[in-house]
Amino acid sequence: GAGVSQTPSNKVTEKGKYVELRCDPISGHTALYWYRQSLGQGPEFLIYFQGTGAADDSGLPNDRFFAVRPEGSVSTLKIQRTERGDSAVYLCASSANGGATDTQYFGPGTRLTVL
Amino acid sequence: GENVEQHPSTLSVQEGDSAVIKCTYSDSASNYFPWYKQELGKRPQLIIDIRSNVGEKKDQRIAVTLNKTAKHFSLHITETQPEDSAVYFCAATYNDMRFGAGTRLTVKP
């Protein structure tokens, strides 16, 4: 079946604006993860959903970042009052059951540029 | 929380040679250790993983070893090919997955 998809693939915005990034997980996967990858670095954990609820949001850097998954499938990462330091590739991943040893499958990412 | 360190940051080998990438982790509770390959502009792709009840796992030219006592694990690629050139990330998981900073592998033909 289809893999994890993310839209848009690229997003350019101005400092102070609001952005939404969307993730469509693999069908049937209950767990969904958001990561941020800066240039030359590994993915940095942001938040993990099990079904509709955020099971672990300890990686969100501050209260400008928020994510939802209202129906337990598609998720949206929302960033308010964007700053230049938010520029990065935002990756989404999903896994079948969310167990610690479950394989996570990544989407292609959204490259966010804040001018 | 978990801290994963990865070495080297860059690695260049001749085609046919072996490549070894090493990672250490801090949280002894971590029990799952995947390796991802990421080509430029592409998504990370899982290439191999190992769970804490296993010391070694092999899949064709790729093998991973785990030393839980020393809290380190390594990726071994034998008979390297130019298409192995990419950035490789190790990760360690207990509650959430923490990644190393990556190793840029270049295989010269």
Side-chain angles (χ1 to χ4, degrees):
Chain A
V4 179
S5 62
Q6 293 184 245
T7 55
S9 56
N10 282 283
K11 176 70 177 178
V12 180
T13 191
E14 293 180 342
K15 180 175 178 295
K17 299 290 188 181
Y18 168 82
V19 296
E20 289 189 352
L21 311 179
R22 175 187 167 111
C23 172
D24 277 271
I26 292 171
S27 179
H29 278 196
T30 64
L32 185 146
Y33 308 80
W34 283 100
Y35 294 87
R36 177 169 68 177
Q37 187 174 26
S38 300
L39 194 62
Q41 297 296 315
E44 174 193 6
F45 170 78
L46 296 177
I47 187 169
Y48 153 50
F49 286 91
Q50 181 61 262
T52 60
D56 183 354
D57 64 357
S58 62
L60 294 178
N62 52 59
D63 62 5
R64 295 187 298 105
F65 289 74
F66 189 71
V68 295
R69 193 185 186 202
E71 297 178 359
S73 178
V74 170
S75 176
T76 304
L77 178 66
K78 309 180 181 196
I79 310 174
Q80 299 178 320
R81 304 184 304 279
T82 51
E83 300 177 357
R84 292 195 180 87
D86 298 335
S87 297
V89 174
Y90 289 81
L91 292 165
C92 174
S94 71
S95 71
N97 301 307
T101 60
D102 261 16
T103 297
Q104 294 186 25
Y105 299 90
F106 281 85
T110 293
R111 180 175 298 278
L112 175 66
T113 303
V114 182
L115 301 176
Chain B
E2 177 65 273
N3 181 46
V4 179
E5 295 195 357
Q6 183 171 345
H7 300 280
S9 56
T10 60
L11 180 59
S12 182
V13 300
Q14 287 294 136
E15 182 178 2
D17 287 351
S18 294
V20 180
I21 303 170
K22 299 183 179 182
C23 289
T24 61
Y25 61 99
S26 61
D27 190 344
S28 56
S30 290
N31 57 0
Y32 176 60
F33 307 90
W35 286 87
Y36 284 85
K37 175 183 179 182
Q38 188 174 32
E39 297 176 12
L40 189 62
K42 300 283 182 65
R43 72 188 74 194
Q45 299 264 19
L46 180 74
I47 56 170
I48 196 167
D49 57 14
I50 191 166
R51 289 166 174 78
S52 60
N53 57 345
V54 176
E56 183 174 357
K57 183 176 177 181
K58 189 172 181 180
D59 182 5
Q60 300 183 353
R61 296 185 298 109
I62 295 173
V64 58
T65 59
L66 171 65
N67 183 328
K68 286 216 73 181
T69 303
K71 291 190 282 188
H72 66 69
F73 55 114
S74 300
L75 177 72
H76 305 251
I77 306 174
T78 59
E79 301 169 27
T80 53
Q81 301 166 1
E83 51 266 39
D84 294 331
S85 296
V87 178
Y88 291 79
F89 293 99
C90 64
T93 305
Y94 175 54
N95 285 319
D96 50 66
M97 190 175 293
R98 304 288 172 163
F99 285 81
T103 296
R104 179 173 300 279
L105 174 64
T106 303
V107 180
K108 293 184 273 189

